[in-house]
Each structure stands twice: as structure tokens, then as C-alpha cells.
Amino acid sequence: MNNHYCVVIPSFGHWSALPMIVDALIERGLPIIIVDDGNSGEGRRAIDELADVRRQIEVIHLAKNEGKGVAVRIGLERAFARGFSHALQIDADGQHDLGAIDALMTASDQNPQALVSGRPVYDESIPRGRQIGRWVTHIWVFIETLSLRIIDSMCGFRVYPLASALDVFSKEDIGRRMYFDTYIMVRMFWRGVPPIFVPVKV
């Protein structure tokens, strides 16, 4: 690969799946930045125990819960400062399909200017309320972008081209909470960053 990749994992209230996630990433030779978004007690200790210079695992502790948007932004900024060109964002709760990491990375390596994102493939078991909520968001995104190219803006399993993401951070308030994933994708699209989607299991 010509690009330089790492992984950013924001974590608040979830840490039990982190060792499994970390092992899968280490197997692929990916340096890891875990952003502890204000966990306390057992959660903070569990995350702290993962810090390992030898295995290239860095932990950043935030003094209080700032929200996913802030945690991801801090992780991406740290990745860029360390000289990485791209960062894979993955959630700490274990919901993301680790088997799709290679496909996301390959798509990013082949399209280094793109924001490569997972596209969740749901079956009939998806709760009706969640399905409706997702469609409302999709429609809003279609209207905001006047395009159907962003087919799923809500998945937090993606590879960021860091220079493009940080350019957005420097000019706009992207939001602190869970809607960050949608906001950053739409604003990067407005700036000409193409979205590419890879199907992932849910």
C-alpha cells in the first residue's frame, strides 16, 4: 500500500469487545489509537491496560464524556499528527464486521481520495422503528446533497482520508454526538470527496 493507515476507536460505555477488536487489527499490522471518551472505573482501567507501545496501541483519555464526534475528531487529528494518511474508524462495541476490514482497506487503497464506508446489510429482523429512522436520515441526506450517491451515511465503520477530514474540521462544527457520522460524510461530499460503499454484515 502507498498510503499510511492506522485505526481510530472511540470508546464510551463499551470495552469488553476491545481486546478481540484489537487482536484482529494487530494481525493486520495496523497501529491503533483508542480514544477513551470519559469512561471511569472498570472501563477506564480496561482501556488503559490495552496501551502497548510495542504493539503500537496508543490510548488517549478524555477527562469527561464529550460525545462520539469529539472523540473521533481527536483520534483523527492525532493520527494525522503522527503522519498517517488514512484512518479506519471502528466502534468499540463489537457490532462491526471485522471480516470486512480487508475489503474496506483495499477499496481505500484503490481510491485514496474517497471516504470509504461500510453499508450495513440488514435482514428482516431489523426493528421497524430503526428502519424508519434510517430512511428519514437517508431522505434528508438525499435532499442536502441533491444526489443519491450517499446510500448510507450512518455507519461508523469507514476509512477517512485524513487531510480531507481535517479540512472540514477546520472550517465547520460537525457535531459532538452520534449524528457526527452523517454530518462529516455530507460535508466531505460537498467538498468533492467521493463516497464509496462496501457491504458489511450486521
Side-chain angles (χ1 to χ4, degrees), residues 84-129:
F84 294 103
S85 63
H86 292 73
L88 169 68
Q89 174 193 331
I90 186 169
D91 289 346
D93 57 8
Q95 69 171 329
H96 292 151
D97 176 15
L98 300 180
I101 291 173
D102 294 337
L104 287 167
M105 301 289 289
T106 297
S108 176
D109 202 47
Q110 293 173 348
N111 304 274
Q113 302 306 315
L115 173 54
V116 177
S117 178
R119 178 177 62 82
V121 179
Y122 292 94
D123 59 23
E124 300 77 19
S125 66
I126 181 174
R128 185 67 173 168

Side-chain angles (χ1 to χ4, degrees), residues 13-140:
H14 298 284
W15 59 84
S16 60
L18 274 173
M20 173 192 68
I21 296 169
V22 164
D23 286 344
L25 298 169
I26 292 297
E27 284 181 7
R28 292 167 169 81
L30 292 167
I32 301 165
I33 299 171
I34 301 173
V35 183
D36 166 20
D37 188 17
N39 290 287
S40 60
E42 181 183 357
R44 182 184 174 94
R45 289 191 297 272
I47 292 172
D48 227 8
E49 289 174 359
L50 292 171
D52 188 333
V53 174
R54 179 181 56 84
R55 299 179 78 201
Q56 299 191 71
I57 305 171
E58 177 181 3
V59 171
I60 299 172
H61 290 292
L62 305 187
K64 61 185 179 70
N65 177 239
E66 298 284 359
K68 182 179 182 180
V70 175
V72 172
R73 174 176 178 168
I74 288 172
L76 297 183
E77 289 174 340
R78 175 59 179 157
F80 191 71
R82 286 178 53 182
F84 294 103
S85 63
H86 292 73
L88 169 68
Q89 174 193 331
I90 186 169
D91 289 346
D93 57 8
Q95 69 171 329
H96 292 151
D97 176 15
L98 300 180
I101 291 173
D102 294 337
L104 287 167
M105 301 289 289
T106 297
S108 176
D109 202 47
Q110 293 173 348
N111 304 274
Q113 302 306 315
L115 173 54
V116 177
S117 178
R119 178 177 62 82
V121 179
Y122 292 94
D123 59 23
E124 300 77 19
S125 66
I126 181 174
R128 185 67 173 168
R130 184 174 186 183
Q131 187 177 39
I132 293 171
R134 290 182 61 80
W135 272 110
V136 169
T137 300
H138 295 339
I139 292 169
W140 174 80

Side-chain angles (χ1 to χ4, degrees), residues 1-5 85-87 102-117 149 158-162 164 188 192-198:
M1 293 183 179
N2 296 322
N3 302 307
H4 195 194
Y5 291 88
S85 63
H86 292 73
D102 294 337
L104 287 167
M105 301 289 289
T106 297
S108 176
D109 202 47
Q110 293 173 348
N111 304 274
Q113 302 306 315
L115 173 54
V116 177
S117 178
R149 292 181 63 191
R158 53 179 61 165
V159 183
Y160 285 96
L162 290 173
S164 297
M188 289 178 74
V193 178
I196 291 179
F197 294 92
V198 174

